[in-house]
Amino acid sequence: MLSPAEWDALRLSARVALWATLLCLPFGILVGWLLARREFRGKFLVEALVQLPMVLPPVVPGYALLLLLGTQGPIGRWLYESFGITLAFTWKGAVIASAVMAFPLLVQPVRVAFRLIDSRLEQAATTLGATPWNAFLTVALPLALPGVLAGSVLCFSRSLGEFGATMAFVGNIPGETRTLPLAIYSFMNVPDGEGAALRLAGLSIALALFALAASHWLTRRAERQLGYLDHRVPRA
Amino acid sequence: MLEFNLEFERGGFLLQAAARIEAGATGICGPSGCGKSTLLALLAGLLPPRSGTLSFRGQTLVDVAAKKHVPAWQRHFALVFQDGQLFPHLTVQDNLLYGYRRRAAGERRFELQQVLDLLEIGPLVARRPAQLSGGERSRVALGRALLYSPQLLLLDEPLAALDERLKQQILPFLRRVKQETHLPMLYVSHARAEVEYLADRTLWMEGGRLLT
């Protein structure tokens, strides 16, 4: 049903989105927890920085990545000279671009999840011999799991659809950086490409709906398993 | 045994408390908002005092001037919270064993079965906290604290969330814990009758000051 070029785009998108989500997860959990639980100087700046990709034209973060991580950029040159890693115009760069753009969508639900957890549960854990890190791992993180799952699915879906930043940072190279949205755009611009563009657009919609349904189902399941719903019952 | 002289301030509320507390059960009684819970949180290591010292059995746990502050998880004081604070994602059994598993085998004073029998909670072990009644929760929270084999048991209005009938059911369990375990306890409540029923001696608290 799909042509080899269309399959390529689909496979590449899935791979990029998966890696972007995995890359975002540890940072997303850390930042979500910090924003929910800690007051510190410059908190507003961290919040703004996290949200920035959502309100900027996507091409701007993409361009910024090119300036920083491109072969001539300060970090990009260092990565190449020290480790032989090139990000610009490679699928790994597409992972970075997607991760930056999808990060806010992960942080938001994670932050809300941590905020909903009564911090006295972690205090109770520390009075039972758990270090704060231990209390985080055994109490806060499992209770925040529904939020982490929901955020991960959103992050994954957003990565599947990333266009502007990817285009600016890693271009539109078939088989390397031409993900679903870029393939759709490319097919739209060639004669007779309409059928392929339409198929891929339909596929994108189906994938997005599937991801949202999966997120809903996973969250509900986690909430039930964790007895999480009960946890929010007002106390007497 | 327990000696402290602590000062704490937050948002214009000043707490000053000094006492020397001997073994056995000590009650701290006072109206709500007088700082009883804050005092327990200071003793447990959940809040940092502004100044003062705290020692237990001759060991200094807090000395603000010397920048010494033994963290909560190294004090081995179990704190039973007002509403139990059972971990909602764990079964009753895993809740009970949370602190137990963090104690070396040689430091454990109680075994699961003993505590299940003492508090009559054996049939509940497979349940989640959501499936417990208020009275059952109180007993599980108490059991969880006991299984941690604390050096000192801090009880912060453990019955406040219960109605009068349930309170009358749980109080004998608390007395039984005191008589059978001989754990030193600090019992905080606004209800004088409760405190007097359980405690060997009672201290009063008012407006952030401990009256001795």
Side-chain angles (χ1 to χ4, degrees), chain B residues 184-204:
Chain B
M185 327 180 165
L186 222 55
Y187 187 93
V188 156
S189 172
H190 66 277
R192 185 174 177 168
E194 235 175 72
V195 174
E196 284 176 346
Y197 173 82
L198 284 168
D200 304 317
R201 69 195 77 83
T202 305
L203 304 176
W204 300 90

Side-chain angles (χ1 to χ4, degrees), chain A residues 68-114:
Chain A
L68 284 172
L69 302 177
T71 41
Q72 299 307 312
I75 304 175
R77 189 182 306 161
W78 174 75
L79 279 175
Y80 181 72
E81 282 168 5
S82 312
F83 307 102
I85 297 173
T86 312
L87 292 175
F89 305 105
T90 67
W91 75 272
K92 290 181 197 122
V95 170
I96 307 281
S98 291
V100 167
M101 298 307 294
F103 190 65
L105 282 137
L106 173 64
V107 169
Q108 226 21 54
V110 170
R111 175 192 190 164
V112 171
F114 279 123

Side-chain angles (χ1 to χ4, degrees), chain A residues 182-227:
Chain A
L182 289 148
I184 295 171
Y185 177 75
S186 305
F187 282 121
M188 280 164 60
N189 287 301
V190 293
D192 308 325
E194 212 167 272
L198 213 57
R199 271 197 300 280
L200 290 183
L203 193 63
S204 297
I205 295 171
L207 277 174
L209 284 176
F210 176 75
L212 288 174
S215 159
H216 182 73
W217 181 76
L218 280 171
T219 310
R220 290 305 297 264
R221 206 175 100 108
E223 280 178 347
R224 252 201 318 276
Q225 275 186 348
L226 295 174

Side-chain angles (χ1 to χ4, degrees), chain A residues 136-193:
Chain A
F136 173 79
L137 286 181
T138 57
V139 178
L141 192 57
L143 287 172
L145 197 64
V148 174
L149 284 175
S152 301
V153 175
L154 283 175
C155 181
F156 181 83
S157 318
R158 178 68 184 80
S159 301
L160 276 181
E162 214 310 295
F163 181 81
T166 308
M167 184 80 119
F169 182 37
V170 296
N172 183 3
I173 307 163
E176 182 68 32
T177 64
R178 183 174 289 175
T179 54
L180 270 183
L182 289 148
I184 295 171
Y185 177 75
S186 305
F187 282 121
M188 280 164 60
N189 287 301
V190 293
D192 308 325

